[in-house]
Amino acid sequence: MKKIGVINLGSTSTKVAYFEDGVCVFSESISHPAEEVKQFASNWDQYDYRRSRIEEFFKSKGVDLKQLDAFVSRGGHTEPIHGGVWRITEKMLEESRSMKYGNHVSDLGMRIAYDLARDKHSAYIVDSPCTDEFEPLARYSGLPEMPRQSRFHVLNHKACGRAFCKDHGLDYNQVSLVVAHLGGGTSVAAHKNGKLIDGDNGLEGDGAFSTNRTGALPVGALVDACYSGEYTREQMHRKLNGLGGMMAYVNDNDVLSVYQKGLAGDKKCMEVIDAMVYQTAKCIGAMATVLDGKVDAVLLTGGIVHNEYIVEQLKKRVGFIAPVYVYPGEREMLSLGQQTYYALIGKEEVFEL
């Protein structure tokens, strides 16, 4: 039996799971109240705090960490790599700690997984957020010094694609899919033969707007705003990610709340919901052209697709492209546990930096 510990660090929570032979035995979330987290000057300063909570949790479940065959974390920020299962190495940790490629509390997760693993060859990440499988044409932006980058919800994108293929007896490495993740950020990507060949940068101003991110903006107006003297650099980034999208229009980033206001007669709220669907549908259509219109399925995933109205409106707009399938929420923990299990039994290759 292969025993696997899984962690996924978020800004105010740590998701923890335990797998036996690819089957999830338990998966829960440890909450980290804002008043506790704010005492730390940086993500790295949370090491002892996060690690002790993780160890206490596994102990409370009767899991001996010394008996685990592997420990896996959501990936952090390193040089661009392709998707798959990667062994956490000192080089990977050095790149992550340098913050050259970005910084998120998930970087700390890699360090903790490495330190908690029974030996230094049994700590892994899966489908890192730095996964880059773009085809050459996808990198063109219009300025050579500003190439388009692969930065989106890679872990859930690939997990959703694999789930669809498992449900329909298909091989993920032999299909063409358009997958749309709709959550705090929205990202749409073209999947071809197991690779993410193009996609929206859902973090830094690309694609459709979401609950609190602007997506792509009129470039001239954005440049003017940046040089207006009205905003600092930090304030502009905050407008792009945190205060943009639905939040900017109706001062609310909760889809259910905005939708209910719309049903109650608030025309602005309903129009914003429809506009978000409209923009997302355009992105799905764009990714269909990347695949030359040869799309086996359109997959909708993320928390927002729990909303039936949004799903039905998207189906109306993009259903002509290919059959539309819905996978609400995210499958990140499942993907981390199962892909690591496959690596342990030799079904998946393990890569190293």
Side-chain angles (χ1 to χ4, degrees), residues 246-272:
M246 181 182 292
M247 184 69 183
Y249 287 109
V250 294
N251 198 36
D252 192 340
N253 63 5
D254 186 305
V255 168
L256 180 58
S257 170
V258 175
Y259 176 64
Q260 289 177 335
K261 291 174 185 176
L263 288 180
D266 189 322
K267 293 182 179 180
K268 183 63 175 179
C269 283
M270 189 56 75
E271 187 171 85
V272 167

Side-chain angles (χ1 to χ4, degrees), residues 248-325:
Y249 287 109
V250 294
N251 198 36
D252 192 340
N253 63 5
D254 186 305
V255 168
L256 180 58
S257 170
V258 175
Y259 176 64
Q260 289 177 335
K261 291 174 185 176
L263 288 180
D266 189 322
K267 293 182 179 180
K268 183 63 175 179
C269 283
M270 189 56 75
E271 187 171 85
V272 167
I273 291 283
D274 289 338
M276 185 169 65
V277 169
Y278 177 86
Q279 287 201 357
T280 303
K282 285 204 298 183
C283 292
I284 292 172
M287 289 302 151
T289 69
V290 170
L291 298 169
D292 297 325
K294 299 174 183 177
V295 183
D296 293 301
V298 174
L299 310 182
L300 307 178
T301 185
I304 289 178
V305 300
H306 283 291
N307 186 295
E308 294 182 3
Y309 174 81
I310 289 176
V311 169
E312 290 308 310
Q313 294 304 307
L314 278 171
K315 284 183 175 180
K316 287 180 181 179
R317 290 191 177 275
V318 305
F320 73 94
I321 297 171
V324 180
Y325 297 88

Side-chain angles (χ1 to χ4, degrees), residues 5-18 26-32 50 54 57-58 71-74 105 109 155-156 181 329-334 336:
V6 183
I7 58 174
N8 184 341
L9 274 64
S11 57
T12 59
S13 68
T14 299
K15 295 178 183 177
V16 183
Y18 171 64
F26 64 77
S27 180
E28 297 183 28
S29 181
I30 304 171
S31 177
H32 303 301
R50 294 272 189 156
I54 291 168
F57 182 82
F58 276 114
F71 220 103
V72 58
S73 170
R74 174 186 174 187
V105 73
L155 182 57
N156 195 45
H181 174 105
E330 50 85 12
R331 288 167 168 71
E332 293 185 345
M333 299 300 280
L334 184 63
L336 289 169

Side-chain angles (χ1 to χ4, degrees), residues 6-52:
V6 183
I7 58 174
N8 184 341
L9 274 64
S11 57
T12 59
S13 68
T14 299
K15 295 178 183 177
V16 183
Y18 171 64
F19 282 70
E20 292 181 348
D21 284 351
V23 177
C24 184
V25 178
F26 64 77
S27 180
E28 297 183 28
S29 181
I30 304 171
S31 177
H32 303 301
E35 58 270 21
E36 292 184 11
V37 175
K38 70 180 182 181
Q39 66 180 299
F40 302 103
S42 72
N43 291 332
W44 303 106
D45 292 334
Q46 297 181 38
Y47 179 89
D48 291 334
Y49 168 75
R50 294 272 189 156
R51 176 173 174 168
S52 64

Side-chain angles (χ1 to χ4, degrees), residues 58-311:
F58 276 114
K59 184 177 181 179
S60 72
K61 293 291 186 178
V63 176
D64 183 355
L65 298 184
K66 295 180 181 179
Q67 298 301 314
L68 295 182
D69 295 284
F71 220 103
V72 58
S73 170
R74 174 186 174 187
H77 293 81
T78 65
E79 63 186 77
I81 57 178
H82 59 74
V85 181
W86 289 73
R87 182 173 283 113
I88 301 175
T89 62
E90 286 291 348
K91 180 181 179 182
M92 180 179 285
L93 292 173
E94 288 172 7
E95 288 191 359
S96 169
R97 188 65 178 85
S98 74
M99 297 186 287
K100 176 181 177 181
Y101 302 97
N103 181 243
H104 184 269
V105 73
S106 59
D107 288 280
L108 177 63
M110 290 201 308
R111 177 82 253 180
I112 293 175
Y114 184 76
D115 290 345
L116 290 180
R118 186 170 63 183
D119 66 71
K120 301 314 176 187
H121 289 281
S122 59
Y124 305 92
I125 61 170
V126 176
D127 293 332
S128 162
C130 287
T131 294
D132 186 348
E133 300 167 340
F134 274 14
E135 293 186 336
L137 295 182
R139 302 185 190 281
Y140 279 78
S141 67
L143 285 176
E145 64 268 32
M146 297 182 187
R148 295 186 65 248
Q149 296 180 326
S150 175
R151 295 189 66 186
F152 50 99
H153 309 86
V154 176
L155 182 57
N156 195 45
H157 264 261
K158 292 213 173 196
C160 184
R162 294 190 188 104
F164 165 77
C165 290
K166 182 178 180 180
D167 290 345
H168 294 84
L170 301 171
D171 183 347
Y172 177 60
N173 294 314
Q174 296 181 0
V175 298
S176 294
L177 308 169
V178 176
V179 180
H181 174 105
L182 286 78
T186 291
S187 61
V188 183
H191 298 226
K192 183 177 182 180
N193 299 335
K195 303 292 185 182
L196 299 174
I197 63 172
D198 198 352
D200 301 325
N201 183 339
L203 181 64
E204 293 186 330
D206 200 6
F209 76 77
S210 66
T211 56
N212 62 8
R213 300 178 189 178
T214 64
L217 293 170
V219 178
L222 178 60
V223 171
D224 289 343
C226 289
Y227 285 89
S228 67
E230 186 175 352
Y231 309 103
T232 65
R233 183 174 184 272
E234 290 72 24
Q235 287 173 329
M236 284 304 303
H237 275 288
R238 184 60 176 158
K239 285 175 76 67
L240 295 176
N241 184 352
L243 299 177
M246 181 182 292
M247 184 69 183
Y249 287 109
V250 294
N251 198 36
D252 192 340
N253 63 5
D254 186 305
V255 168
L256 180 58
S257 170
V258 175
Y259 176 64
Q260 289 177 335
K261 291 174 185 176
L263 288 180
D266 189 322
K267 293 182 179 180
K268 183 63 175 179
C269 283
M270 189 56 75
E271 187 171 85
V272 167
I273 291 283
D274 289 338
M276 185 169 65
V277 169
Y278 177 86
Q279 287 201 357
T280 303
K282 285 204 298 183
C283 292
I284 292 172
M287 289 302 151
T289 69
V290 170
L291 298 169
D292 297 325
K294 299 174 183 177
V295 183
D296 293 301
V298 174
L299 310 182
L300 307 178
T301 185
I304 289 178
V305 300
H306 283 291
N307 186 295
E308 294 182 3
Y309 174 81
I310 289 176
V311 169

